[in-house]
Amino acid sequence: MTKRPLVLLDVDGVLNPARRHSLRLRRHECVLDGRSYRILLNTRHGAKLARLAGDTGAELAWATTWEQHANAEIAPRLGLPALPVITVNGDPGSRAGEHFKTRHVAEYVAGRPFVWFDDSLGVADWHYLKDHPGVDEFLLVDVDPGTGLTDAHLTRAREWLSGRGAAAVDR
C-alpha cells in the first residue's frame, strides 16, 4: 500500500466558482445526463494542480458530485488527464453533521495523507476525519465558492504537503 499523498478536488465552488471575478475564467457549456450546465473554469488551474502534484509526489483525484463527468467535462478543459474518482453520490445525509462526501473520502484515502479542496466542509468534517480509523494526516482547504481556487490555496497545500511529517492532523 502506498503512502503517496492525495490532492482531492471538488468542482463546483472550487474549480467552478459561483461568480466571474477574473478575466481568466472562461464559460463552458456542459451537458450532463441531458441537462445543460454553464460553468466557469480557469485553464491555468490544470497546470498549477499538475505542478503541485508533481512537485510534492501527490496524486490528484476527484471528490465531487460530478464523479466521472469530471473526467469527461472538466479534466480536458483544464489540460488534466483522467483522474481517479471517489464515488460520493447516492448517500442521503450525514451521521454527525459532516458533509455527505466526507465518509466516502475517509474510506477512499485508506491511511494516505491528503489535502482536500472543497467549499462545503466544516468543523464536523474535521472531527469525523480526525476520529476515523482509516484516516491519517490531512489538510482541509476551505475555498470560498464565490471566488474558487486561488494561488493562496495552492501555496497552503504545497507547504503542507512539502512539510508534513509526524505532526498531528492539521486543519
Side-chain angles (χ1 to χ4, degrees):
M1 184 165 86
T2 181
K3 287 292 245 177
R4 185 176 174 204
L6 292 160
V7 174
L8 307 180
L9 304 168
D10 184 25
V11 172
D12 294 321
V14 176
L15 297 174
N16 173 30
R19 65 180 184 268
R20 187 178 202 140
H21 62 90
S22 166
L23 294 176
R24 292 189 176 133
L25 291 168
R26 300 284 180 246
R27 287 195 192 284
H28 301 274
E29 294 284 331
C30 299
V31 178
L32 308 179
D33 301 326
R35 295 185 62 194
S36 181
Y37 294 91
R38 287 186 179 172
I39 59 173
L40 295 169
L41 296 174
N42 180 342
T43 57
R44 294 179 185 193
H45 280 153
K48 290 178 179 186
L49 289 163
R51 192 166 37 256
L52 172 67
D55 291 350
T56 61
E59 176 185 2
L60 299 172
W62 296 115
T64 175
T65 57
W66 283 68
E67 292 186 341
Q68 286 297 338
H69 294 296
N71 280 326
E73 299 291 342
I74 307 301
R77 290 181 166 109
L78 296 180
L80 292 171
L83 304 176
V85 174
I86 300 172
T87 302
V88 297
N89 287 325
D91 195 346
S94 76
R95 296 180 184 145
E98 78 281 358
H99 192 280
F100 70 90
K101 292 189 287 187
T102 302
R103 287 189 311 286
H104 301 285
V105 165
E107 294 302 320
Y108 182 86
V109 299
R112 294 167 68 179
F114 66 95
V115 171
W116 187 2
F117 294 110
D118 204 294
D119 65 315
S120 300
L121 304 176
V123 173
D125 301 287
W126 185 83
H127 283 291
Y128 184 92
L129 293 166
K130 181 179 71 62
D131 296 338
H132 194 279
V135 175
D136 194 8
E137 298 174 276
F138 64 90
L139 174 67
L140 302 181
V141 180
D142 184 35
V143 176
D144 177 345
T147 55
L149 188 68
T150 66
D151 287 344
H153 296 125
L154 294 166
T155 297
R156 184 168 179 221
R158 178 181 300 280
E159 288 171 354
W160 186 84
L161 287 164
S162 298
R164 69 179 179 74
V169 172
D170 194 294
R171 185 170 194 283

